[in-house]
Amino acid sequence: MYTPPLARLIEQLQKLPGVGPKTAQRLALHILKRSDADAQALAKSIIDAKKQVGFCKVCFHLSAEPVCEICRNQNRENKVICVVADSRDVIALEKTREYKGKYHVLGGVISPMDGIGPEQLNVQSLVQRVNQEKTQEVILAISPSVEGETTTLYVGGLLKPFTKVTRIAFGLPMGGDLEYADEVTLARALEGRRELD
Amino acid sequence: MYTPPLARLIEQLQKLPGVGPKTAQRLALHILKRSDADAQALAKSIIDAKKQVGFCKVCFHLSAEPVCEICRNQNRENKVICVVADSRDVIALEKTREYKGKYHVLGGVISPMDGIGPEQLNVQSLVQRVNQEKTQEVILAISPSVEGETTTLYVGGLLKPFTKVTRIAFGLPMGGDLEYADEVTLARALEGRRELD
């Protein structure tokens, strides 16, 4: 049905997340319609990103430099570390523009089913960092799944002897409707209630 | 927020149809997570497809060879040509496995607003082909938009002196509900009614 180079392109595009046969065909035909320069630029950006982007050796966030921009930024609070599972979470938190401290990316969550224990994650380096940098607060910002909770409790337990450990709040999302919230979320929201200022 | 090579990759991916900032970020992070070989294969498939895929010189369908597989296939009916606007339509018709004739891809529809007249389309070559190949039937399979209708009428008028010209049927889609069909579709379905066998 497809001429071979087109079939191969569609096959490759289908490996991307959320891209099925129809979307892959549409993307492939779009690439063929665009200029040579556009196709070259797309291909080059893939190879360059893969070649140049690694992990920051301090916080393990994605970085093209040995130490990432956030870690190098002198204007950021140095005594607070926000611990997240993935670089994606750093990006999400940065978008809020609320947080001015540093990060530490674990690279996943503890999941014995998938053979991921603390040794597979950047936990050891976090403990070292907290001790060396005399961190005053570690904020755990890990999604509240079963594995996430396990990770939060494990990392929290490890760090408590050395520093103040907090975790982000769980409750009703902004714009969320109390009536439609699930029971666990509501229970968490009740539990995390605060006095009105 | 993004390290520069990652930012460039996201920017490039956003140029694809239906890919917004969130999807582009997800695709980019997925590419970074995959192996070097996977990223190379994706980049190579883009460049190869762009370099190798051109148009069949007979029917103007996408092809890596000077003459496409459909045109070269001796088992296909040689005296029937199905005229479509785009290579996408050839692929859609081939998926039905119902049609055994040849194709001719116009490369668009007549659209004076966009400066596309018959000269910008593969119309001249179609007329020549019909005459040279002594085509017995030309089936016009062009979407029934305003521009599509104009194109159907124009091409039909050109070819009528030389061959039998038909067009595909319009009516209620299979599984469609009469109650929810728009009036134009219903009118077309009535108009195109046939006697029960």
Side-chain angles (χ1 to χ4, degrees):
Chain A
M1 199 150 55
Y2 302 114
T3 189
L6 176 57
R8 283 193 292 270
L9 175 56
I10 290 174
E11 189 195 315
Q12 287 295 330
L13 290 170
Q14 272 195 65
K15 293 184 182 170
L16 295 173
V19 177
K22 280 226 161 181
T23 306
Q25 180 192 307
R26 197 175 37 144
L27 296 178
L29 292 177
H30 182 261
I31 289 170
L32 288 183
K33 268 204 180 141
R34 277 162 50 178
S35 70
D36 274 359
D38 281 344
Q40 290 279 355
L42 174 58
K44 187 172 181 303
S45 71
I46 292 169
I47 290 177
D48 284 353
K50 187 66 197 161
K51 204 184 295 170
Q52 295 167 13
V53 179
F55 297 108
C56 168
K57 65 181 183 183
V58 177
C59 76
F60 300 93
H61 183 37
L62 291 171
S63 173
E65 308 285 330
V67 176
C68 77
E69 250 176 273
I70 297 174
C71 285
R72 278 181 288 143
N73 188 339
Q74 300 291 334
N75 293 325
R76 295 188 75 123
E77 176 64 70
N78 214 7
K79 297 288 175 209
V80 185
I81 295 178
C82 179
V83 176
V84 296
D86 200 282
S87 270
R88 226 177 310 214
D89 305 323
V90 174
I91 294 166
L93 285 162
E94 284 298 283
K95 279 183 183 161
T96 68
R97 297 170 186 276
E98 281 293 319
Y99 180 65
K100 297 294 172 213
K102 303 289 172 98
Y103 291 96
H104 195 87
V105 180
L106 295 178
V109 286
I110 295 172
S111 173
M113 297 274 282
D114 305 310
I116 300 176
E119 316 75 45
Q120 276 74 46
L121 305 174
N122 305 316
V123 170
Q124 196 53 47
S125 55
L126 172 61
V127 177
Q128 273 175 20
R129 209 180 144 193
V130 166
N131 280 312
Q132 274 169 15
E133 298 179 8
K134 308 218 181 332
T135 305
Q136 281 163 5
E137 182 179 357
V138 170
I139 304 170
L140 300 172
I142 299 168
S143 299
S145 62
V146 174
E147 292 84 3
E149 286 297 278
T150 309
T151 312
T152 296
L153 295 177
Y154 178 82
V155 175
L158 270 185
L159 295 176
K160 260 188 199 158
F162 310 112
T163 184
K164 179 180 167 189
V165 181
T166 60
R167 64 182 299 178
I168 55 167
F170 299 112
L172 215 59
M174 292 307 291
D177 197 324
L178 201 134
E179 195 184 347
Y180 298 117
D182 64 291
E183 302 94 71
V184 184
T185 301
L186 266 189
R188 289 294 199 105
L190 267 177
E191 194 189 314
R193 69 191 179 279
R194 301 197 316 187
E195 237 179 295
L196 272 178
D197 308 309
Chain B
M1 200 150 54
Y2 301 116
T3 189
L6 176 57
R8 283 191 293 269
L9 175 56
I10 290 174
E11 189 195 316
Q12 286 296 329
L13 290 169
Q14 271 195 64
K15 292 184 181 170
L16 296 172
V19 177
K22 280 228 161 181
T23 307
Q25 180 192 308
R26 196 175 40 145
L27 296 178
L29 292 178
H30 182 262
I31 290 169
L32 287 183
K33 269 203 181 140
R34 276 163 49 179
S35 70
D36 274 0
D38 282 343
Q40 290 279 354
L42 174 58
K44 187 171 180 305
S45 70
I46 292 168
I47 289 177
D48 285 353
K50 188 65 198 164
K51 205 185 295 173
Q52 296 167 12
V53 179
F55 298 108
C56 168
K57 65 182 184 183
V58 178
C59 76
F60 299 93
H61 182 38
L62 291 172
S63 175
E65 308 285 330
V67 176
C68 76
E69 251 176 90
I70 296 173
C71 285
R72 279 181 289 145
N73 188 339
Q74 299 290 335
N75 293 324
R76 295 189 74 123
E77 176 64 71
N78 214 5
K79 297 288 175 211
V80 185
I81 295 178
C82 179
V83 175
V84 295
D86 200 281
S87 269
R88 225 175 313 212
D89 305 324
V90 174
I91 294 167
L93 285 162
E94 283 298 283
K95 280 183 183 159
T96 69
R97 298 168 186 277
E98 281 293 319
Y99 180 65
K100 298 293 172 213
K102 303 287 173 102
Y103 291 95
H104 195 88
V105 179
L106 294 178
V109 286
I110 296 172
S111 173
M113 296 275 282
D114 304 311
I116 301 175
E119 316 77 45
Q120 276 74 45
L121 305 174
N122 305 316
V123 170
Q124 196 51 48
S125 54
L126 173 62
V127 177
Q128 273 175 20
R129 210 180 143 192
V130 166
N131 279 312
Q132 275 169 15
E133 300 179 6
K134 309 220 181 327
T135 306
Q136 281 163 6
E137 182 180 357
V138 169
I139 304 170
L140 300 172
I142 298 168
S143 299
S145 62
V146 174
E147 292 84 3
E149 285 297 277
T150 309
T151 312
T152 296
L153 294 177
Y154 178 82
V155 175
L158 271 185
L159 295 177
K160 260 187 202 160
F162 310 112
T163 184
K164 178 180 168 191
V165 180
T166 60
R167 64 182 300 179
I168 55 167
F170 298 111
L172 216 57
M174 293 307 289
D177 196 325
L178 200 135
E179 194 182 347
Y180 298 117
D182 64 290
E183 302 93 73
V184 185
T185 300
L186 267 188
R188 288 294 198 104
L190 268 176
E191 194 189 313
R193 68 190 179 280
R194 302 198 312 190
E195 237 179 296
L196 271 179
D197 308 309

